[in-house]
Amino acid sequence: AQTVTQSQPEMSVQEAETVTLSCTYDTSESDYYLFWYKQPPSRQMILVIRQEAYKQQNATENRFSVNFQKAAKSFSLKISDSQLGDAAMYFCAYRSDFSGTYKYIFGTGTRLKVLA
Amino acid sequence: NAGVTQTPKFQVLKTGQSMTLQCAQDMNHEYMSWYRQDPGMGLRLIHYSVGAGITDQGEVPNGYNVSRSTTEDFPLRLLSAAPSQTSVYFCASKEGAWGTEAFFGQGTRLTVV
């Protein structure tokens, strides 16, 4: 069975600085997707970024980028130029690439605080 | 485009009461699912559906029933609420087998006293 581990329950960053959130996963599959979701106080789950395992290039979305290390099964999220609006709970998630598979497996989350 | 709509947003139940959490999506997505979110445990899959008339159990299905009579709706039923079911519930939908991204509703905070 696949597992996702987020070992940092809480992180803090100064406004305008850079922070990296860690995520490791365990799987025997070779094809899969990895995601980072943001959950602000409103509870809405917002997709931040996704990575296809077959792609070697790390995904980027504006100030958000990932460091995907497939062999190490590591998938960290880097937030550059942190803003107050980045304060939220961040979840790392895994999904298999097999047809018909719908189960997302989530980590326990990292609460990010942004200090003014 | 409303996306995924959950009702109600908040609910307080007494132990033993029953209720249905509603979930509707207007994106014609085949896949829908229910998760519960508890502190320190992330989101855990309760039940999911790959299309109208087809449902299956997830990781924590006990105490919950689902049905999928239409593509749009996927209600979650609590037949006899227990304090252990106090949680935040999320409904999500996804486009077919190859659709990548899951779209989430805004969640329902349920308290069972």
Side-chain angles (χ1 to χ4, degrees):
Chain A
Q2 297 84 16
T3 59
V4 176
T5 302
Q6 294 179 250
S7 58
Q8 306 155 315
E10 190 170 293
M11 295 280 287
S12 296
V13 63
Q14 288 290 141
E15 197 175 3
E17 296 294 311
T18 295
V19 65
T20 299
L21 308 184
S22 300
C23 173
T24 59
Y25 59 95
D26 190 25
T27 183
S28 59
E29 298 172 339
S30 58
D31 295 318
Y32 48 86
Y33 293 91
L34 295 165
F35 306 84
W36 280 97
Y37 278 90
K38 171 185 178 182
Q39 186 182 45
S42 67
R43 287 206 310 257
Q44 182 70 50
M45 294 287 285
I46 303 166
L47 179 65
V48 175
I49 199 165
R50 73 174 184 224
Q51 174 80 43
E52 292 87 342
Y54 66 86
K55 289 186 178 179
Q56 292 187 338
Q57 186 174 8
N58 289 326
T60 62
E61 288 287 343
N62 301 313
R63 298 182 294 108
F64 298 87
S65 61
V66 297
N67 184 3
F68 173 49
Q69 302 289 330
K70 191 172 184 179
K73 296 179 183 174
S74 171
F75 184 60
S76 60
L77 175 69
K78 185 172 82 170
I79 305 174
S80 304
D81 185 26
S82 296
Q83 301 175 358
L84 295 177
D86 294 334
M89 196 76 164
Y90 287 82
F91 291 97
C92 179
Y94 170 101
R95 185 178 78 81
S96 172
D97 193 29
F98 289 117
S99 175
T101 298
Y102 182 39
K103 299 176 184 178
Y104 287 74
I105 300 167
F106 287 85
T108 53
T110 297
R111 184 171 301 282
L112 178 66
K113 295 184 177 181
V114 181
L115 308 174
Chain B
N1 190 343
V4 180
T5 302
Q6 288 183 237
T7 56
K9 289 187 172 51
F10 302 92
Q11 183 71 48
V12 178
L13 286 179
K14 294 183 178 179
T15 297
Q17 284 186 317
S18 63
M19 82 158 295
T20 299
L21 306 185
Q22 301 291 345
C23 176
Q25 53 92 7
D26 61 359
M27 298 173 282
N28 202 32
H29 285 174
E30 295 178 12
Y31 289 14
M32 296 185 74
S33 60
W34 278 100
Y35 292 84
R36 61 177 289 173
Q37 181 182 16
D38 300 295
M41 302 191 74
L43 278 74
R44 293 181 293 167
L45 182 64
I46 304 171
H47 284 287
Y48 66 99
S49 169
V50 299
I54 306 170
T55 63
D56 205 349
Q57 296 181 347
E59 181 184 356
V60 287
N62 293 339
Y64 308 94
N65 282 347
V66 292
S67 60
R68 185 93 180 271
S69 56
T70 67
T71 300
E72 295 78 20
D73 300 300
F74 190 45
L76 178 72
R77 297 185 188 83
L78 285 72
L79 297 179
S80 179
S84 61
Q85 293 178 304
T86 294
S87 187
V88 178
Y89 292 85
F90 286 95
C91 178
S93 74
K94 186 174 78 69
E95 179 185 5
W98 302 110
T100 306
E101 180 182 348
F103 294 82
F104 287 84
Q106 286 197 299
T108 296
R109 181 176 292 279
L110 176 67
T111 302
V112 182
V113 298

